[in-house]
Amino acid sequence: MQDSHSERMNAAEGRAAGGLALVFAFRMLGMFMVLPVLATYGQELIGATPTLIGVAIGAYGLTQALLQIPFGILSDRIGRLPVIYFGLLVFALGAGVAAEAESIHGVIAGRVLQGAGAISAAVMALLSDLTREQHRTKAMALIGMSIGLSFAVAMVIGPLLTRAFGLSGLFWATAGMALLGMLIVALVVPRSTHPLSHRESGVARRELLTTLRNKDLLRLDFGILVLHAILMASFVALPLALVEQGGLARDEHWWVYLSALLIGFFGMVPFIIYGEKKRRMRRVLAGAVAVLLACELYFLLFGQSLRTLVVGFVLFFTAFNLLEASLPSLVSKVAPAAGKGTAMGVYSTSQFLGAALGGMLGGWLFDQGGLTWVFAGCASLSALWLIIAATMREPPYVTSLRLPLSAAALADAGLVQRLLGTAGVTDAVVVAEEAALYVKLDTEQLDRTSLERLIEAPSAC
């Protein structure tokens, strides 16, 4: 008989993972497409100032940060699909408001409304409902890849769409993507017959205070906040630097982003492999933050020509891609066994807060002192992050699992103690109301099959 843990996803799981990855991708594509163009094309809007353009760039992050956890909790109560449909509709309405706006204030209002369609937690919870335990990590990884790909595509097609149809056309395309996402949910994603409420993909309010007290997690939350603050602030300045100092017409920026993202993506891969294989992710993380700091100083001191700016872009996106890929994995490693969903919820909230703060800070700094102030401000944030990252401990190299328990295993009072005494198990928690075990293990010392045999073994063994 084939091992159930080695078999592929079934058709329904494949449709769920692929469909929800597309929903995520289209939504994030619409969110990111404005980054490379708003600083240049936004100057034509009535009332536009660098500060307000920065607010427009990051405004979506504020409502995302405020609403994503409440929307996730709401999806546990009223169902995933109503929350997802509502969120996508609100996102589309926000894009429509921005598309029809003639002033920067209208675009800001549209971006705020877009952010209010905060469906990330509900989509991840639906994915958990529709996939088996052994395939859930792969399905979530597919969504993670779709987000990264959408960012790369947005950097290229955002300038191309805006060149062809203007900012209004760009926002209408964003609205269309949200409506297409609704169609995918309706026609492709299977219906869930057994909604789950568990601590791997959702926020557990009882775990929230513990998560906020965990210093290792707080370092990572601060890191993603700073990373996205730097990203948004940099995109207030970098498109303008390409025009003013690089002499590159705003319609031609796409090839710079495409080149930098492609080289940056392949450039980060060896460092990810090194960090995971050699178990040196702390060193890799600190090194990437140091490169980010060096990039901002490089832009500040040497970004006076197109050639030097392109070199800076390549280094910037190599460090950014590396950090964007590493941080969620580190959160998963550091989070307590039964607190992964809560830790990721706080992490995502920090990410969106960083986007909001970065856009506002970048616009204000540009108003005060132009490109110089923006790059200096981003360098200061990077330096602060580097100091905090240097105090981080090497993370445990473990895998988080949620395993359903049989009635006999659930009644085994010595289960947790027996597991914690086993080499390779670093944390284990039984959640009786879910009839499930949350466990963290080093797969180099203990594989899943051996763990399951250990769980079902009688306590007297």
Side-chain angles (χ1 to χ4, degrees):
M1 185 180 295
Q2 186 180 17
D3 184 353
S4 65
H5 301 309
S6 63
E7 68 184 22
R8 296 179 179 180
M9 290 184 183
N10 60 37
E13 288 173 320
R15 285 167 51 207
L20 292 175
L22 282 174
V23 171
F24 246 109
F26 283 133
R27 181 171 165 274
M28 299 311 292
L29 184 63
M31 202 75 82
F32 289 140
M33 281 195 301
V34 303
L35 289 185
V37 299
L38 202 51
T40 50
Y41 287 85
Q43 297 178 45
E44 300 168 1
L45 295 165
I46 296 171
T49 66
T51 298
L52 292 177
I53 288 174
V55 171
I57 287 174
Y60 80 94
L62 185 60
T63 39
Q64 281 275 345
L66 292 174
L67 295 175
Q68 69 142 350
I69 289 179
F71 272 29
I73 294 172
L74 183 63
S75 77
D76 289 335
R77 295 183 178 178
I78 69 172
R80 318 298 188 203
L81 292 181
V83 171
I84 293 171
Y85 283 130
F86 176 76
L88 288 171
L89 183 60
V90 168
F91 184 89
L93 289 173
V97 169
E100 289 296 298
E102 296 182 355
S103 71
I104 188 65
H105 298 92
V107 171
I108 291 171
R111 292 283 282 172
V112 168
L113 193 55
Q114 279 186 301
I119 62 168
S120 299
V123 170
M124 297 302 283
L126 180 59
L127 184 67
S128 292
D129 296 343
L130 296 172
T131 52
R132 287 169 290 169
E133 298 285 348
Q134 61 265 34
H135 297 306
R136 194 162 295 146
T137 300
K138 289 183 287 185
M140 290 184 176
L142 182 62
I143 284 186
M145 287 188 290
S146 76
I147 295 173
L149 182 61
S150 69
F151 178 79
V153 172
M155 293 296 102
V156 177
I157 70 170
L160 294 176
L161 279 174
T162 310
R163 179 173 69 178
F165 304 108
L167 271 180
S168 178
L170 179 73
F171 281 116
W172 280 124
T174 296
M177 289 175 188
L179 297 177
L180 183 57
M182 295 176 72
L183 281 177
I184 291 171
V185 173
L187 301 178
V188 176
V189 177
R191 306 299 92 175
S192 172
T193 57
H194 56 288
L196 302 174
S197 177
H198 59 73
R199 303 184 185 192
E200 189 175 59
S201 62
V203 173
R205 281 170 285 184
R206 284 174 291 183
E207 296 288 333
L208 195 55
L209 190 58
T210 302
T211 299
L212 293 174
R213 288 174 174 170
N214 188 311
K215 292 181 180 179
D216 291 326
L217 287 174
L218 288 177
R219 286 186 181 90
L220 298 172
D221 295 335
F222 180 79
I224 194 63
L225 184 149
V226 169
L227 182 63
H228 278 258
I230 289 172
L231 178 70
M232 296 301 164
S234 294
F235 270 98
V236 174
L238 288 174
L240 295 173
L242 286 173
V243 173
E244 296 174 6
Q245 299 181 176
L248 187 66
R250 64 186 185 179
D251 297 341
E252 302 297 325
H253 289 191
W254 65 270
W255 68 263
V256 176
Y257 301 126
L258 177 60
S259 304
L261 282 162
L262 283 176
I263 297 171
F265 174 78
F266 289 107
M268 76 160 183
V269 172
F271 297 101
I272 292 285
I273 294 173
Y274 166 80
E276 291 290 348
K277 291 287 186 182
K278 301 296 185 180
R279 301 196 167 192
R280 294 288 187 271
M281 283 306 299
R282 175 180 174 274
R283 182 182 300 176
V284 169
L285 179 73
V289 177
V291 172
L292 201 63
L293 169 59
C295 285
E296 296 297 337
L297 294 175
Y298 175 86
F299 286 131
L300 177 64
L301 299 173
F302 304 109
Q304 282 84 40
S305 70
L306 181 58
R307 178 177 297 179
T308 56
L309 285 169
V310 171
V311 171
F313 266 96
V314 169
L315 293 173
F316 178 88
F317 278 115
T318 300
F320 175 82
N321 288 337
L322 178 54
L323 291 163
E324 185 80 354
S326 300
L327 286 168
S329 173
L330 291 171
V331 171
S332 180
K333 287 176 170 63
V334 170
K340 179 181 174 183
T342 304
M344 289 305 301
V346 174
Y347 172 86
S348 296
T349 299
S350 302
Q351 174 181 322
F352 291 124
L353 276 176
L357 294 172
M360 297 173 192
L361 179 64
W364 180 80
L365 287 172
F366 191 91
D367 250 345
Q368 302 305 307
L371 295 172
T372 299
W373 276 48
V374 177
F375 295 138
C378 290
S380 300
L381 283 175
S382 301
L384 179 60
W385 184 11
L386 183 58
I387 293 169
I388 291 174
T391 67
M392 170 183 166
R393 296 179 295 180
E394 193 69 48
Y397 289 85
V398 293
T399 298
S400 300
L401 295 175
R402 177 187 183 274
L403 301 174
L405 293 178
S406 65
L410 194 61
D412 183 356
L415 174 61
V416 169
Q417 185 177 1
R418 187 167 72 253
L419 291 176
L420 291 176
T422 302
V425 177
T426 62
D427 193 8
V429 176
V430 171
V431 180
E433 59 266 30
E434 297 179 27
L437 170 75
Y438 292 86
V439 63
K440 305 189 78 167
L441 72 153
D442 184 338
T443 54
E444 291 188 359
Q445 299 184 60
L446 184 71
D447 61 27
R448 177 169 177 152
T449 302
S450 300
L451 174 67
E452 290 179 338
R453 284 200 296 264
L454 186 63
I455 291 170
E456 294 304 326
S459 57
C461 290

